[in-house]
Amino acid sequence: VEYLALADVDAEYRRYRAGELDLTSTLPATQLAAARAERPAELQLAPTHALSLVVFDTTEGPLARDPALREALALARDGEALVERGLKAGQLPWYSMVPPGLGGYEPATYPWAREAAAARLARARASMRAAGYGPERPLRLRVLHHRNENNRNTALAVGSWWKERLGVEVEFVEREFGTFLALRRERAAWDAMVTAVTADYPDPGSLLSMF
């Protein structure tokens, strides 16, 4: 078996369609509907113990000083809309660092995860005002992500939530995957980062050990 390390899901799928790959592990979201129609016998959708997530820089910059400000950004999320209209492959909106089904573990979550969307957004806006941010003084954040359609779509969705709901000015920092891996260690280059993690073995410790 020959494994190829390909960071670009668009290029990966093009190589699969050209017959250069026998198996591809992911699809660009924009190709999913076509694959369902044109290649139903080849397309397999199954759960995996993986997460897409937004990481905040808590070492320096505006997000390091105020936990309530970080919570406000989390409260402004619309994970349901993202998985239904953006990613479209049966992903679940989630509120924990451990996905469901790992070793019988009951994941920790946030009390506000069960609140109505309007209540969450009202609390987010109140926290933004308390932190001193508003139309006259918008919060400015640099969001790092890598050059991959699915990762880009998630980053754009996150940026749009923050802009439309909280008035945050977002600058996207998009990099090729290898450069992204190096840049994520340079905290001065970003304030928030969109990334993904996958459990290496079926136990919550595979993900919780990152802490």
Side-chain angles (χ1 to χ4, degrees):
V1 178
E2 179 183 2
Y3 289 96
L4 302 181
L6 303 173
D8 187 335
V9 294
D10 308 279
E12 182 176 342
Y13 188 50
R14 285 196 296 271
R15 292 184 66 171
Y16 174 81
R17 294 179 66 184
E20 298 174 15
L21 300 174
D22 299 300
L23 178 70
T24 179
S25 64
T26 188
L27 281 178
T30 52
Q31 297 291 335
L32 187 57
R36 279 189 169 114
E38 299 166 7
R39 301 168 180 265
E42 300 170 41
L43 179 64
Q44 301 291 321
L45 297 177
T48 184
H49 295 132
L51 297 167
S52 293
L53 65 155
V54 179
V55 176
F56 296 137
D57 180 8
T58 60
T59 63
E60 57 186 53
L63 301 182
R65 296 187 292 269
D66 192 347
L69 188 58
R70 299 195 297 269
E71 183 183 61
L73 296 172
L75 286 163
R77 60 174 281 176
D78 190 349
E80 289 77 6
L82 176 61
V83 299
E84 289 172 10
R85 298 196 292 270
L87 302 177
K88 305 177 183 177
Q91 294 92 338
L92 298 173
W94 202 242
Y95 299 89
S96 169
M97 273 302 299
V98 178
L102 270 181
Y105 178 75
E106 184 66 31
T109 187
Y110 301 96
W112 51 258
R114 294 181 293 275
E115 292 181 4
R120 295 202 304 256
L121 186 54
R123 187 140 60 91
R125 288 170 173 164
S127 293
M128 292 288 289
R129 290 191 298 270
Y133 294 102
E136 299 78 19
R137 183 180 176 242
L139 176 64
R140 292 181 168 84
L141 297 177
R142 297 157 301 162
V143 178
L144 174 65
H145 66 94
H146 61 82
R147 191 168 295 146
N148 162 311
E149 181 185 306
N150 296 342
N151 192 262
R152 182 188 300 120
N153 287 348
T154 301
L156 292 174
V158 168
S160 70
W161 300 335
W162 293 347
K163 172 66 175 176
E164 295 167 10
R165 299 175 177 196
L166 302 177
V168 178
E169 296 293 337
V170 177
E171 175 190 351
F172 294 101
V173 182
E174 179 178 284
R175 295 291 183 269
E176 179 274 328
F177 190 64
T179 307
F180 166 84
L181 292 178
L183 195 61
R184 67 182 184 176
R185 296 181 175 85
E186 298 180 20
R187 297 299 182 88
W190 53 273
D191 303 299
M193 173 178 61
V194 176
T195 188
V197 293
T198 302
D200 297 312
Y201 49 90
D203 186 89
S206 178
L207 296 171
L208 296 177
S209 62
M210 292 188 295
F211 298 102

